[in-house]
Every structure is written in structure tokens, then in C-alpha cells.
Amino acid sequence: QVQLVESGGGLVQPGGSLRLSCEASGFTLDYYFMGWFRQAPGKEREGVSCIRGGDGRTRYKDSVKGRFTMSVDNAKNTVYLQMNRLIPEDTAVYYCAIGVSCDRSGMEHWGRGTLVTVSS
């Protein structure tokens, strides 16, 4: 049974940092794409970052490049999203997902999400 569990969200001031974790079970990350997506109130879910499990190649949404870093620990079957220099526009529920491509349509399994709030 495939399961994804996110953690690490919370309230942080602008300029602060958070690290999100996504623990995966029921499959091996090596052969899939893992993505972080987010959904702000009243907005559509959007892709933030994506990593290819086999070689760790990553890509990012333009607005988070240089601030967010996605990584994977294959031994722990866990994916991370290190978020630095957070801004209020980063406020959203963050979801991890796994699938056959980085596109939202290619994601086959989703976690329940973790809320990130950036506010002073």
C-alpha cells in the first residue's frame, strides 16, 4: 500500500526557514518522480519542485529557485524540501506526490498535506 506522510509545516516569520519531510512507504523512490506541490486559499494546486529518484535531478518553480532545495534520502525513503527566505506568498498547504513524471497529471499518489504559514 502506497503511503505518503508530510510533516514539518508551521508558522514562520518572513525571511525564516522550514524543512518539510515526506516519508514514503509501499514503493521505492529510485524508480519514480517525487514532487512537492502547494495550494494557497482560492488558488489552484501548483508544482513547486520535482526530483527524479534515480539520479536526484531536480527542477523548481521559478519563484522558489535559489530559496528552496529538494533532496531525497533513498535509505530512509524520505524526500525533503528545505525552504529558506520564506515570503508571505509561500503560504499554502504543501503536498508531496509520487508518479511517473513531474507534471501534476503524472502524479499517482498524494499525501494529505502540511500547512505552511508565513506571517509576522
Side-chain angles (χ1 to χ4, degrees), residues 25-42:
S25 60
F27 58 89
T28 303
L29 294 179
D30 285 2
Y31 306 109
Y32 294 91
F33 291 83
M34 292 288 297
W36 283 100
F37 293 76
R38 68 186 182 187
Q39 188 165 17

Side-chain angles (χ1 to χ4, degrees), residues 1-4 25-27 98 109-110:
Q1 181 179 357
V2 175
Q3 189 172 14
L4 300 170
S25 60
F27 58 89
I98 187 169
H109 301 281
W110 295 82

Side-chain angles (χ1 to χ4, degrees), residues 62-118:
D62 284 346
S63 63
V64 307
K65 284 180 181 177
R67 301 189 297 122
F68 290 11
T69 303
M70 186 175 183
S71 61
V72 60
D73 185 332
N74 287 307
K76 295 182 179 180
N77 239 30
T78 299
V79 177
Y80 303 97
L81 185 67
Q82 177 66 44
M83 305 187 295
N84 299 326
R85 304 200 309 275
L86 284 159
I87 60 178
E89 290 76 16
D90 295 321
T91 295
V93 177
Y94 284 71
Y95 301 87
C96 68
I98 187 169
V100 296
S101 75
C102 284
D103 297 331
R104 180 178 169 184
S105 61
M107 293 295 169
E108 299 175 336
H109 301 281
W110 295 82
R112 293 187 174 184
T114 185
L115 176 63
V116 172
T117 304
V118 184

